[in-house]
Amino acid sequence: MTLQLDARIPTGPLAQKWDKHRFEMKLVNPANKRKNTVIVVGSGLAGGAGAAAMSELGYNVKCFCFQDSPRRAHSIAAQGGINAAKNYQNDGDSVYRLFYDTIKGGDFRSREANVYRLAELSVNIIDQCVAQGVPFAREYGGLLANRSFGGAQVSRTFYARGQTGQQLLLGAYQALERQIKRGGLTMYPRTEMLDLVVIDGKARGIVTRNLVTGKIDSHAAEAVVLATGGYGNVFFLSTNAQGSNATAIWRAYKRGAAFANPCFTQIHPTCIPVSGEYQSKLTLMSESLRNDGRVWVPRVTADKRDPRQIPESERDYFLERKYPSFGNLAPRDIASRAAKEVCDEGRGVGETGLGVYLDFADAIKRLGRGVIYERYGNLFEMYQRITDENPYEVPMRIYPAVHYTMGGLWVDYNLMSTIAGLHVTGEANFSDHGANRLGASALMQGLADGYFVIPNTVGDYLASNRMGKVDTSHPEFKAIEAQVAERTRQLLAIDGTRTVMSFHRELGKIMWDYCGMSRNEAGLETALAKVRDLRQQFWNDVNVPGSDAELNQALEKAGRVSDFLELGELMIIDALHRKESCGAHFREESQTPDGEALRDDENFAYVAAWEYAGEGKAPILNKEPLGFENVKLSRRSYR
Ligand SMILES: Cc1cc2nc3c(=O)[nH]c(=O)nc-3n(C[C@H](O)[C@H](O)[C@H](O)COP(=O)(O)OP(=O)(O)OC[C@H]3O[C@@H](n4cnc5c(N)ncnc54)[C@H](O)[C@@H]3O)c2cc1C
């Protein structure tokens, strides 16, 4: 181990840590704030909220995104909702219960202090968003409505129909636009960060490429925040937007930021099944559907009857059978594995046999079609448009798909990485979800990080560190600009025979087959060899048409896929080293007699923070031990 991983968790009782910490953190004098430039890469919920909040405080903020507008960040796709411990339902919820559910949901592989703060801030998020005008669903009496999500027995998920992410993002976007108008925030759309600049051990800026003109530029700052989203697209097929990528965090890793728990990938149980080789994207059917939909398969194998002809006695509602207390709302990792299990037994449905039913017939009978339409109308419409089947009449078919990455850059309690001044927020960091994220908690984390944590902790960093003035004429900026230009030149010069897409698809298949829903040592070793071999082929045989002085999406994709090929290897190495099963990381060698994940707390109750050791060298494993003072480590059971 070479890194000193200091999580800087404040002392004192759990419930007072954040308050005490905020008091103890240093403040930047209001008149001095505008003298500090903060770069925020990403304008999704985490980045947009953080950039707007810091600009509102008076910092000079530069915000970057690769899309043509901040409004197109992938956060817009979030459907189901956002958790908060408001306890409007009076059903027993509390900050502590949300904290406990999240720690347990993550299979005891996250930091208590961070998760408690998240639960605490959840209530402020709802107030902030309501004040912005986010149109959350309401009850008849005017209170905000809630529904249930997996891994919880209370109803604490706030939602705006099936478009919660879009409505929240519109709120953050308007806050961002307000700051742009005021002049304290500059937005750089269609601009991709391609490297991080570290000077005297501190993050001092980024190197970018203008995606329309191809121009390479540098931007200097006193602090950098990465809010660049998740890396699920390593698997090629996922529910993520096509553009979601790992480039910013991967290149920061290669400049010294540790990468934590890279193998922790969430596979979501309710996605529209893969239908053919031509597909490049999978569609999520929100977890909220499991509030009313019942998951089942036929009792016998290879039953090809129309599902409506299969009588109750010949159906297996396997989640209700196996997990009676949580039923269809069992957490995602557990529900996904259960679906895989019945399909592996030959009881899967649909043409490929890789599908299970999500059936609303009972709910429609009980509540009426109108209520189901009101709750899920847009999701039903989306399903029908994609599959040409009417889910009001025939059960939906669903199957697990890659959805979210719990791993990400390692951060301390202040959300600062192992590079001083480089902060990481939202899905791009590893902080709060352990080995499995509960539904509706990513939006909560992104907004907690952005609106409430980072504006305080970046201020503390700036007030505590004296920094010399650095601008983009510094030789380090010039050196990194040259490296970025050279990498681009290399990609264009290969002029091979295979498309970038074909490499991406092949990488995805390796990752899904060997490092997906279940993993074993032999498979992971095979995957390691295959990925290394594929990376070599990529650098010898990829074909990237066009030039670097124009809009060139093949070039953009080539850069991203080249990073996925390296990150994929680190994910496999991490999965190999973690010989226990926990949450979404299911090592076949480590399971209970009834097939559930078997943790090994004695040997693996730590965060694995990988350190880049240089080209061709094995990454170095650093461990942050996880201490549990407030919850008892117990076997996670939803039975
Ligand atoms: C289909 C779907 C549905 C979901 N539903 C829910 C839900 O109901 N509830 C919930 O809690 N979670 C949900 N999630 C998860 C949640 O949406 C995401 O985890 C969250 O929105 C991520 O937000 P973010 O701000 O971290 O990143 P993103 O929204 O992905 O934003 C990333 C930003 O970084 C920018 N960027 C990335 N790389 C670069 C670069 N190199 N240079 C410049 N800019 C860059 C992008 O342009 C973008 O602005 C869902 C996820 C999916 C896929």
Side-chain angles (χ1 to χ4, degrees):
M1 284 208 280
T2 60
L3 286 174
Q4 292 298 320
L5 292 177
D6 179 2
R8 296 204 287 169
I9 298 168
T11 54
L14 186 65
Q16 290 163 25
K17 284 184 195 293
W18 177 233
D19 229 13
K20 177 168 164 282
H21 191 58
R22 272 195 299 168
F23 178 68
E24 286 170 355
M25 278 190 285
K26 291 194 175 155
L27 299 174
V28 179
N29 176 309
N32 285 339
K33 288 197 173 108
R34 65 175 171 275
K35 296 181 192 156
N36 289 290
T37 298
V38 181
I39 283 175
V40 179
V41 188
S43 60
L45 286 176
M54 285 189 287
S55 177
E56 178 76 44
L57 283 174
Y59 296 107
N60 177 34
V61 177
K62 290 177 157 194
C63 184
F64 296 80
C65 71
F66 65 76
Q67 291 94 344
D68 57 350
S69 157
R71 275 173 53 186
R72 291 194 200 274
H74 160 67
S75 291
I76 204 167
Q79 302 167 345
I82 175 167
N83 287 330
K86 284 282 197 187
N87 194 28
Y88 284 162
Q89 306 297 321
N90 198 22
D91 56 357
D93 203 8
S94 63
V95 167
Y96 198 87
R97 190 179 292 281
L98 174 53
F99 154 73
Y100 182 76
D101 286 350
T102 309
I103 285 274
K104 177 183 168 195
D107 217 356
F108 304 92
R109 289 293 173 263
S110 46
R111 238 184 244 148
E112 280 188 341
N114 285 55
V115 177
Y116 191 86
R117 175 178 63 190
L118 176 66
E120 213 178 342
L121 291 175
S122 69
V123 294
N124 303 50
I125 295 170
I126 300 303
D127 296 344
Q128 168 104 357
C129 295
V130 168
Q132 286 174 343
V134 171
F136 285 120
R138 287 180 186 266
E139 305 285 5
Y140 177 72
L143 273 185
L144 299 185
N146 289 138
R147 53 189 175 202
S148 303
F149 258 55
Q153 284 175 314
V154 294
S155 241
R156 61 160 78 97
T157 304
F158 294 75
Y159 63 99
R161 235 175 153 201
Q163 317 167 337
T164 316
Q166 179 173 353
Q167 298 304 332
L168 292 171
L169 191 62
L170 286 172
Y173 168 71
Q174 286 171 31
L176 202 68
E177 287 293 311
R178 178 165 175 271
Q179 298 305 323
I180 295 172
K181 183 89 193 311
R182 287 177 70 198
L185 193 151
T186 313
M187 188 71 219
Y188 296 83
R190 310 218 80 172
T191 309
E192 182 162 36
M193 167 185 163
L194 290 181
D195 220 327
L196 178 76
V197 179
V198 182
I199 297 172
D200 297 332
K202 295 192 173 77
R204 295 307 304 264
I206 60 173
V207 172
T208 59
R209 177 170 181 271
N210 179 314
L211 297 180
V212 180
T213 64
K215 187 162 180 291
I216 305 286
D217 280 314
S218 285
H219 301 267
E222 275 63 48
V224 177
V225 179
L226 299 186
T228 49
Y231 53 90
N233 280 351
V234 168
F235 290 83
F236 183 64
L237 285 180
S238 87
T239 62
N240 288 198
Q242 276 271 339
S244 294
N245 69 90
T247 290
I249 54 171
W250 187 249
R251 303 211 180 161
Y253 162 74
K254 292 174 92 171
R255 298 276 169 209
F259 207 119
N261 300 333
C263 79
F264 287 173
T265 310
Q266 175 159 91
I267 318 266
H268 197 299
T270 57
C271 303
I272 299 181
V274 176
S275 59
E277 277 286 301
Y278 52 84
Q279 234 173 314
S280 56
K281 161 102 187 66
L282 292 176
T283 306
L284 175 76
M285 287 286 100
S286 168
E287 179 158 301
S288 59
L289 293 167
R290 288 198 273 143
N291 273 272
D292 289 307
R294 298 180 69 194
V295 178
W296 65 276
V297 286
R299 278 198 186 284
V300 294
T301 57
D303 188 338
K304 294 287 173 205
R305 280 178 291 175
D306 179 323
R308 291 167 293 189
Q309 309 302 324
I310 302 179
E312 279 297 308
S313 59
E314 292 174 43
R315 298 175 176 193
D316 178 12
Y317 292 91
F318 55 93
L319 289 178
E320 296 172 24
R321 171 173 58 79
K322 287 180 76 172
Y323 307 104
S325 46
F326 282 70
N328 294 296
L329 283 171
R332 293 174 179 181
D333 53 338
I334 289 177
S336 292
R337 277 200 294 278
K340 179 178 185 303
E341 204 177 283
V342 293
C343 292
D344 288 350
E345 288 165 13
R347 296 195 285 143
V349 301
E351 255 175 48
T352 60
L354 295 175
V356 301
Y357 291 126
L358 180 63
D359 194 341
F360 290 85
D362 281 354
I364 291 173
K365 207 182 298 163
R366 196 176 65 247
L367 303 165
R369 192 173 160 137
V371 172
I372 296 301
Y373 171 79
E374 266 181 26
R375 287 187 188 164
Y376 315 110
N378 66 321
L379 300 172
F380 274 45
E381 186 188 330
M382 188 163 80
Y383 180 85
Q384 186 163 10
R385 282 201 193 166
I386 293 173
T387 62
D388 200 24
E389 287 170 16
N390 179 353
Y392 293 100
E393 308 289 336
V394 194
M396 284 183 181
R397 284 174 299 106
I398 52 165
Y399 194 68
V402 170
H403 180 62
Y404 181 90
T405 42
M406 280 75 70
L409 291 186
W410 184 90
V411 287
D412 64 13
Y413 188 72
N414 285 348
L415 305 185
M416 190 161 86
S417 71
T418 51
I419 299 176
L422 179 71
H423 296 74
V424 193
T425 60
E427 194 173 341
N429 75 24
F430 89 105
S431 71
D432 295 351
H433 309 294
N436 172 60
R437 172 176 74 83
L438 289 185
S441 59
L443 302 184
M444 170 171 75
Q445 184 222 330
L447 291 179
D449 289 359
Y451 284 133
F452 300 110
V453 180
I454 211 82
N456 290 285
T457 59
V458 167
D460 179 54
Y461 169 77
L462 294 170
S464 315
N465 286 275
R466 283 206 168 278
M467 273 168 277
K469 204 74 201 152
V470 161
D471 63 32
T472 56
S473 62
H474 190 286
E476 193 60 15
F477 276 98
K478 296 296 153 209
I480 293 179
E481 278 180 23
Q483 287 168 28
V484 165
E486 172 56 17
R487 190 181 169 97
T488 308
R489 194 200 59 76
Q490 278 177 6
L491 284 169
L492 289 163
I494 298 166
D495 200 22
T497 61
R498 283 183 63 179
T499 62
V500 177
M501 189 79 122
S502 79
F503 281 104
H504 194 184
R505 185 178 275 122
E506 190 172 336
L507 171 68
K509 180 145 175 44
I510 299 169
M511 298 301 293
W512 178 248
D513 287 349
Y514 300 106
C515 196
M517 246 184 299
S518 79
R519 302 143 178 208
N520 62 53
E521 179 143 358
L524 288 165
E525 292 287 4
T526 306
L528 200 55
K530 282 177 180 276
V531 169
R532 285 178 180 154
D533 182 51
L534 188 66
R535 193 167 61 240
Q536 212 167 11
Q537 286 180 46
F538 175 90
W539 284 103
N540 287 322
D541 196 24
V542 74
N543 186 291
V544 185
S547 89
D548 64 346
E550 59 183 350
L551 176 77
N552 185 342
Q553 292 190 314
L555 179 61
E556 288 166 30
K557 187 149 174 75
R560 294 171 190 164
V561 170
S562 71
D563 292 330
F564 285 150
L565 281 160
E566 295 179 9
L567 171 53
E569 177 173 336
L570 187 68
M571 291 166 74
I572 296 165
I573 291 173
D574 187 42
L576 254 175
H577 111 280
R578 193 173 280 275
K579 294 188 192 304
E580 66 164 352
S581 292
C582 56
H585 171 63
F586 190 72
R587 278 292 296 260
E588 288 161 16
E589 300 90 337
S590 181
Q591 50 181 304
T592 61
D594 48 359
E596 301 290 346
L598 182 61
R599 279 198 333 261
D600 174 357
D601 294 330
E602 207 170 306
N603 295 303
F604 290 98
Y606 61 78
V607 176
W610 296 92
E611 180 186 352
Y612 183 64
E615 203 65 43
K617 297 204 180 120
I620 302 161
L621 175 62
N622 297 269
K623 298 177 183 175
E624 179 203 332
L626 290 167
F628 294 93
E629 291 165 6
N630 298 277
V631 299
K632 203 168 144 294
L633 280 166
S634 57
R635 193 179 144 205
R636 193 165 154 246
S637 168
Y638 294 93
R639 284 180 186 267

